[in-house]
Amino acid sequence: MKTIYLDNASTTPLDNGVLEAMLPYLKENYGNPSSQHSAGRVASEGVLRSRDKIANLLGCKPDEVFFVSGGTEAGNWALKGACSAAAGRGKHIIVSAIEHPALIESAKDMQKFGYEVSFIGSDGSGRINPADVENAIRADTVFCAVMHANNETGVIQPVEEIGGICKKLGVFYYCDCVQTAGVLPLPVNSCDALGISSHKFYGPKGFGALYIRDGAEISRLISGGKQERGLRGGTVNAASAVGCAVALENAFRGMDENNERISKLRDNFVKKVLSEIEGSHLIGSGDRLPSNANISFDGCNGENILFVLDLNGIAVSTGSACSAGASSVSHVLTAMGLSFDRVKSAVRFTFGKYNTEEEVEIVVSALKKAVAKLRENGRVC
Ligand code: PLP
C-alpha cells in the first residue's frame, strides 16, 4: 500500500535531480572541501557554486550564507551567538511563544546563565502582534525571534513590521524561515539573520543555511576549524550543499505554480472536512501557508486519529502526544488560547507537491470513518 503523505511540514522527499546532483560528491568528488589538493578543490568548487546559488535565491551576498546542519542549529546559533556577541550590553531575550523548540529551548538554556526571557503569546488567529513585541523591548534587550510562518498552523507572521521595530530599537532580529523557504519570498532585508532547512523543500536532511547580515554582531556556536569563515567549525558537507542548492532552485522556479496547486488541494480538503464532519474546526486564520490545514475534532483525541489514519496508510501529524501515561500538548495551540479539548483533538495535515485530488478524496473518506468510530468508542485520552 502506497502511503498518502500529508506531513510535508515535517519533511519532504528528495526532489527530481537532487540525488543525481549530490551523487558525484559522495563518490568520485569525495575530497574534503578544505583540502588544498585538486580533489579538495573540486569539492570546494561545488560548495562555492552552491553558496552563490543560495545567496542569489535569498537575495543576499554569498559571504552572508553560512552552512549549518539545519533549522535547529540555525536557531541555536542565532540566539546564543547574538547573546554572546552582546555580552555586557544586556541579558533580555524576546521569543514568540509559538516558535519552534529550537528557539524556545535555546532561550531556556540562556535562563540558566541569568538571561530573562519574554515569551510573546499570539492572538486567537495564531498571529503575533508587532505592538506586543515593541512593548516587550527594553534597554537591555539583545535578541528577538519571531518566525516567518508557524509550522503547526501555517499562520504567516508580520515579520517585516517586527523587523522594522527591532532595527529601530537596536535589537538583533532572527527570523526562522524553515517553513517558508521555497514557498514565500524571504524577509532577508528585514532581519539580522534567518534560517532555512533543506529537508523542508525537497532537499537532503541534516543540512541548511543561516543567513547573517553583513555587519550583524554574532559569535560562533560551533568552535573548531576555520570552515565557514572561521564561524562554524566542521567539514562542510559538499554533497548536501549541492543538493540543497538544487532543491532551493527548483522550489523557487516552481513557487507560484506549486503554491496554486497545493492551496487548491488544501482548500478543497478543508471545505470537505468542515462540511462533512460535524464538530470539526479549522485552527488559525488570516494569511496562511498554502499547504497547512490544522483541524480539531470535537470529542476525539488527535493522536488516536493519527493512529487510525496510519493503519489506513495515511501519514499526518498532531501537536499532542500521549505516551506511557504522559501527556504533552502543543505549546503553539496553547499560546493561541485554545481550550485543552481543542488542542488535544487537533490534527495537522500538510500538503506537498506530490499530493493529488484523488488522495484528498481517500483521506476525507478515511477521516470521516475514523472520527465516527472514535466518537462511538469515546476514545479520548
Ligand atoms: N523551525 C521550524 C519552524 C521547523 O518547522 C523546524 C522543523 O520542523 C525546525 C525549525 C527545525 O529544523 P531541522 O529539522 O532542520 O532541525
Side-chain angles (χ1 to χ4, degrees):
M1 178 168 53
K2 185 178 165 279
T3 299
I4 297 180
Y5 188 74
L6 290 186
D7 198 14
N8 288 277
S10 288
T11 196
T12 51
L14 284 190
D15 201 2
N16 294 331
V18 173
L19 181 63
E20 293 73 8
M22 292 172 68
L23 277 176
Y25 292 90
L26 293 165
K27 290 184 159 182
E28 56 268 30
N29 304 336
Y30 56 81
N32 186 323
S34 298
S35 297
Q36 287 169 309
H37 45 63
S38 45
R41 278 201 303 278
V42 173
S44 160
E45 277 156 23
V47 173
L48 204 81
R49 272 197 305 277
S50 303
R51 197 187 309 281
D52 285 351
K53 221 182 253 182
I54 291 169
N56 194 31
L57 293 165
L58 297 186
C60 66
K61 292 180 263 184
D63 273 359
E64 295 176 313
V65 174
F66 294 82
F67 289 140
V68 293
S69 64
T72 301
E73 185 185 330
N76 268 262
W77 182 2
L79 188 147
K80 293 169 183 169
C83 287
S84 159
R89 277 202 282 114
K91 284 196 158 188
H92 178 238
I93 297 171
I94 296 172
V95 173
S96 94
I98 59 167
E99 291 302 294
H100 186 270
L103 275 304
I104 304 237
E105 293 303 314
S106 291
K108 288 184 184 164
D109 285 349
M110 298 309 286
Q111 285 177 324
K112 293 174 204 140
F113 297 99
Y115 282 75
E116 258 186 82
V117 184
S118 299
F119 291 102
I120 310 285
S122 77
D123 63 18
S125 72
R127 186 175 178 275
I128 301 294
N129 183 351
D132 291 344
V133 174
E134 183 153 16
N135 291 337
I137 294 179
R138 319 187 311 208
D140 60 343
T141 307
V142 290
F143 178 86
C144 171
V146 178
M147 67 207 319
H148 195 189
N150 182 262
N151 45 303
E152 291 192 35
T153 62
V155 174
I156 299 168
Q157 304 300 323
V159 294
E160 275 87 10
E161 215 178 315
I162 292 167
I165 292 167
C166 289
K167 192 172 177 184
K168 180 178 77 181
L169 299 174
V171 174
F172 188 107
Y173 174 46
Y174 174 69
C175 188
D176 179 334
C177 296
V178 168
Q179 291 293 332
T180 52
V183 180
L184 302 175
L186 301 187
V188 78
N189 295 319
S190 304
C191 62
D192 293 293
L194 67 77
I196 65 172
S197 175
S198 151
H199 73 107
K200 308 288 184 176
F201 48 85
Y202 306 88
K205 293 180 179 39
F207 197 83
L210 177 67
Y211 152 80
I212 304 175
R213 181 181 58 74
D214 198 5
E217 283 184 59
I218 186 164
S219 304
R220 65 187 178 198
L221 177 72
I222 298 184
S223 306
K226 294 267 180 279
Q227 293 91 349
E228 300 300 279
R229 280 85 78 213
L231 281 182
R232 200 268 188 182
T235 302
V236 176
N237 184 338
S240 290
V242 169
C244 175
V246 171
L248 195 61
E249 199 171 37
N250 288 351
F252 269 74
R253 200 182 293 129
M255 196 185 283
D256 292 343
E257 197 183 311
N258 283 330
N259 285 349
E260 197 185 322
R261 208 181 80 72
I262 291 168
S263 62
K264 247 188 216 156
L265 285 179
R266 188 273 314 268
D267 291 346
N268 186 24
F269 173 77
V270 170
K271 202 167 122 205
K272 281 183 189 295
V273 171
L274 298 187
S275 65
E276 295 179 27
I277 303 180
E278 213 177 293
S280 58
H281 314 274
L282 183 66
I283 294 172
S285 56
D287 282 348
R288 287 168 52 242
L289 292 177
S291 52
N292 179 291
N294 196 326
I295 301 175
S296 63
F297 300 90
D298 293 349
C300 289
N301 178 294
E303 219 185 16
N304 290 337
I305 295 176
L306 181 152
F307 292 142
V308 175
L309 291 181
D310 191 38
L311 290 174
N312 286 278
I314 299 163
V316 298
S317 140
T318 159
S320 71
C322 301
S323 58
S327 174
S328 76
V329 291
S330 158
H331 68 282
V332 174
L333 306 190
T334 304
M336 288 168 67
L338 299 184
S339 69
F340 179 72
D341 284 349
R342 282 203 63 201
V343 175
K344 185 182 68 197
S345 69
V347 179
R348 183 186 70 176
F349 307 85
T350 45
F351 293 79
K353 65 179 183 175
Y354 297 122
N355 292 122
T356 62
E357 280 294 351
E358 192 194 352
E359 289 180 333
V360 169
E361 301 297 330
I362 296 170
V363 176
V364 172
S365 156
L367 188 58
K368 270 160 80 172
K369 286 187 201 141
V371 170
K373 188 126 202 89
L374 290 167
R375 281 178 178 160
E376 198 181 294
N377 293 344
R379 292 293 304 270
V380 186
C381 88

